[in-house]
Amino acid sequence: MRRHSKDSVITDTVHTGPRHVAIIMDGNGRWATQRGRPRLFGHHAGARRVREVVETCPDIGVEYLTIFAFSTENWKRTQVEVAGLMSLFRRYISKEARALSEFGVRVRFIGDRVRLDAKLISLMDELETLTSGNTSVNLTIALNYGGRDEVARATKRLAQDVADGKLRPESVDEETLPKYLDTYVLPDPDLVIRTSGEARISNFLLWQSAYAEYEFIDTLWPDFSREEFTRLCASYGGRERRFGGVKR
């Protein structure tokens, strides 16, 4: 990973691109199958693609990048594929930790960690601690994450605070629940990209993406390039965002 100064500044005086981009990284398995290789070969290729996208973020003004690595529904895949993915996650964190830190990336994980193995959880904790002071890019990795699951867990915490007398029921509004979500320290995504030609959101950041712009592209994730990422972010800058209002 090329080095990036933590003190570097985007020189554009007016930045119209997305501040927070979320990506549903789809198509690894199909990419591998097209090449006559096992699905895990595609997942390894996809993991390598993450580095290029992260490195591109500071150059185009993207401060926050959230990637969908493993969903709560992905446990339905074969035991071999799931075990291989968990091994890949452990290897990725171990291998990339130093490079991410040197590049100035702050890493966070969202999702339910209960079902993950102890070694992986330990590596996740260590990476979050190692990069906690970085400011170049905020990389959030959704691991064992599902939007509905997140809202359900948040609601349980909120209900417990009401039961404990810490929160009055009549004070709960649409500004309250986000404080209990996994993403409570992050801004909502401006742009959500899904690769591989599928046009669905697959239970990803359901609450947070209420006003996000979406791009569904045919490119399989391992083929997703710096140039395509840059083009999509530039296209976002040309969109008119009214958030339910009208143009004056």
Side-chain angles (χ1 to χ4, degrees):
M1 178 172 284
R2 58 189 175 85
R3 297 179 64 86
H4 186 276
S5 170
K6 296 181 182 179
D7 299 322
S8 62
V9 177
I10 301 301
T11 56
D12 295 337
T13 55
V14 178
H15 175 59
T16 59
R19 182 185 180 207
H20 183 180
V21 178
I23 303 179
I24 302 173
M25 307 179 296
D26 195 19
N28 292 336
R30 273 170 283 171
W31 184 88
T33 300
Q34 289 175 1
R35 289 157 177 76
R37 303 297 296 271
R39 290 176 58 84
L40 282 172
F41 178 76
H43 293 308
H44 282 272
R48 290 191 295 271
R49 184 59 60 197
V50 171
R51 172 183 287 200
E52 183 173 311
V53 172
V54 170
E55 289 182 344
T56 304
C57 286
D59 298 333
I60 60 176
V62 174
E63 300 173 39
Y64 296 85
L65 176 69
T66 299
I67 58 175
F68 204 2
F70 189 88
S71 76
T72 50
E73 290 78 23
N74 286 157
W75 294 103
K76 300 174 184 176
R77 297 185 178 184
T78 67
Q79 186 175 357
V80 171
E81 184 171 355
V82 170
L85 282 167
M86 294 301 154
S87 176
L88 172 60
F89 297 146
R90 291 191 295 270
R91 189 178 305 119
Y92 177 84
I93 294 173
S94 298
K95 180 181 177 182
E96 295 291 326
R98 183 175 178 179
L100 288 167
S101 184
E102 289 181 349
F103 191 69
V105 179
R106 177 166 188 173
V107 181
R108 296 180 177 90
F109 292 90
I110 58 173
D112 189 356
R113 302 190 185 192
V114 173
R115 199 169 176 181
L116 303 177
D117 67 74
K119 176 61 176 176
L120 178 55
I121 294 173
S122 177
L123 288 169
M124 292 161 64
D125 290 339
E126 290 172 7
L127 184 55
E128 287 183 324
T129 300
L130 175 66
T131 63
S132 61
N134 293 341
T135 58
S136 175
V137 183
N138 290 273
L139 172 63
T140 302
I141 302 173
L143 189 54
N144 194 31
Y145 173 88
R148 289 182 175 180
D149 175 74
E150 179 191 28
V151 171
R153 288 186 286 107
T155 303
K156 288 179 183 178
R157 291 192 290 269
L158 188 155
Q160 188 61 58
D161 279 355
V162 170
D164 292 342
K166 298 177 181 178
L167 190 66
R168 293 182 301 160
E170 60 271 20
S171 71
V172 176
D173 57 23
E174 66 179 65
E175 302 298 324
T176 307
L177 185 62
K179 299 174 182 177
Y180 292 83
L181 295 173
D182 296 351
T183 56
Y184 69 97
V185 297
L186 304 175
D188 288 342
D190 304 298
L191 173 66
V192 179
I193 300 169
R194 179 169 188 149
T195 59
S196 87
E198 304 291 349
R200 56 179 179 271
I201 60 176
S202 293
N203 200 18
F204 184 49
L205 300 178
L206 298 180
W207 180 281
Q208 299 89 336
S209 299
Y211 283 101
E213 299 288 327
Y214 277 83
E215 287 280 3
F216 299 103
I217 61 174
D218 292 333
T219 307
L220 301 178
W221 175 247
D223 290 329
F224 189 70
S225 66
R226 183 193 309 271
E227 291 72 24
E228 189 159 20
F229 183 46
T230 301
R231 178 182 62 77
L232 293 172
C233 289
S235 175
Y236 168 93
R239 299 188 183 193
E240 180 183 332
R241 290 169 58 75
R242 299 188 299 272
F243 299 97
V246 296
K247 184 176 181 181
R248 293 178 180 272

